[in-house]
Amino acid sequence: MLESEERVYKENLDPDVIAAFISAAIKVIDSLFGPAFTRMIIRYALEFESEKTGEKPPENIQNIEEVVQYITELREKYPRFYNCLIYGIAKAEKLFEGSTASGAKNLAYNAIRKIIEDSGLLNEVKGKIPKIYEALIRYVEIADSLKATTPQRIVNESEKVILQEMEGCPWKDACKAMVKEGITRMTGGYECVVLIANSAALSLVSGKPVDYKLDIFDQPKCVGRIFEI
């Protein structure tokens, strides 16, 4: 049993690890919805990068590996380059609403869940920690060991609800762009990269279906909840 009902984690994030993880998620999306969808992700990711760096991307970029190589090379101009990939996914999904691609309630959630599951990262704890707060803490500790942790405060609000606060979040650039353009969850409300990843992993560790809701965006903290459904 955990001694504390609250944990605070500092940022411990390797941009290259994060970029590789998102690239793998995009390949999962490609396998589900095809290269046309991936081309949209590439287009919008490069547009976002161009806005941040002032550089015009090469016209011959064809796949996600080439995108990652390009935005990584410009990391001195835009260190949080991985935001480009998340923005690309979110905007492509939004524009595909009403088509067959909208069959997934949240492409990022499902893709990240599959990547985490297929990686074997959680094999030792998968389905073995039924209390969702304990399950989430275990996942974040594993992520922290891989340098894939964003700053967050995790509070055991109740048996079925976890409160999360995120301040100084490295994903804020993508989130701000999504809010500005009205890109929201298909079920309503703001997206949150931290809550997406945490809930996807939490569902695997606990074996329980969960969902998330971002209640407050950038005031200056983001505040949300993960809960059993």
Side-chain angles (χ1 to χ4, degrees), residues 60-120:
N60 60 344
I61 291 180
Q62 299 294 323
N63 55 54
I64 200 63
E65 289 87 358
E66 292 175 354
V67 173
V68 172
Q69 180 180 351
Y70 172 70
I71 64 178
T72 301
E73 289 172 352
L74 291 178
R75 67 197 311 158
E76 289 188 5
K77 288 191 173 183
Y78 184 45
R80 299 198 186 279
F81 56 88
Y82 42 82
N83 277 270
C84 305
L85 302 173
I86 287 294
Y87 173 79
I89 294 172
K91 185 159 184 176
E93 180 179 8
K94 180 69 175 180
L95 294 177
F96 259 64
E97 284 184 10
S99 71
T100 55
S102 65
K105 289 184 178 179
N106 189 311
L107 291 181
Y109 174 90
N110 288 294
I112 289 172
R113 190 180 191 277
K114 180 172 174 54
I115 290 301
I116 293 173
E117 188 169 26
D118 290 351
S119 71

Side-chain angles (χ1 to χ4, degrees), residues 190-228:
Y190 294 135
E191 290 282 16
C192 172
V193 179
V194 177
L195 294 179
I196 290 171
N198 282 2
S199 58
L202 171 54
S203 67
L204 291 170
V205 178
S206 68
K208 295 179 177 179
V210 299
D211 201 353
Y212 62 92
K213 185 176 187 296
L214 186 66
D215 300 306
I216 298 173
F217 175 70
D218 195 26
Q219 298 184 15
K221 297 179 182 179
C222 294
V223 180
R225 288 171 172 81
I226 300 176
F227 47 88
E228 287 188 37

Side-chain angles (χ1 to χ4, degrees), residues 16 73 139 147 149 202:
D16 295 313
E73 289 172 352
Y139 163 67
K147 295 186 177 181
T149 309
L202 171 54

Side-chain angles (χ1 to χ4, degrees), residues 99-219:
S99 71
T100 55
S102 65
K105 289 184 178 179
N106 189 311
L107 291 181
Y109 174 90
N110 288 294
I112 289 172
R113 190 180 191 277
K114 180 172 174 54
I115 290 301
I116 293 173
E117 188 169 26
D118 290 351
S119 71
L121 182 66
L122 302 177
N123 282 355
E124 293 185 5
V125 294
K126 183 179 176 183
K128 296 180 180 179
I129 307 178
K131 293 184 178 181
I132 61 170
Y133 174 69
E134 295 182 10
L136 179 56
I137 294 302
R138 183 69 183 111
Y139 163 67
V140 175
E141 288 174 347
I142 293 172
D144 191 58
S145 71
L146 300 174
K147 295 186 177 181
T149 309
T150 54
Q152 54 191 295
R153 174 174 175 253
I154 303 172
V155 180
N156 188 18
E157 190 169 87
S158 72
E159 184 179 348
K160 294 188 176 183
V161 181
I162 298 168
L163 172 72
Q164 288 212 234
E165 294 181 352
M166 290 74 67
E167 186 171 13
C169 182
W171 300 104
K172 193 174 289 187
D173 287 353
C175 293
K176 283 184 175 180
M178 286 186 269
V179 169
K180 182 179 180 180
E181 296 185 30
I183 299 174
T184 60
R185 298 186 66 190
M186 292 182 66
T187 54
Y190 294 135
E191 290 282 16
C192 172
V193 179
V194 177
L195 294 179
I196 290 171
N198 282 2
S199 58
L202 171 54
S203 67
L204 291 170
V205 178
S206 68
K208 295 179 177 179
V210 299
D211 201 353
Y212 62 92
K213 185 176 187 296
L214 186 66
D215 300 306
I216 298 173
F217 175 70
D218 195 26
Q219 298 184 15

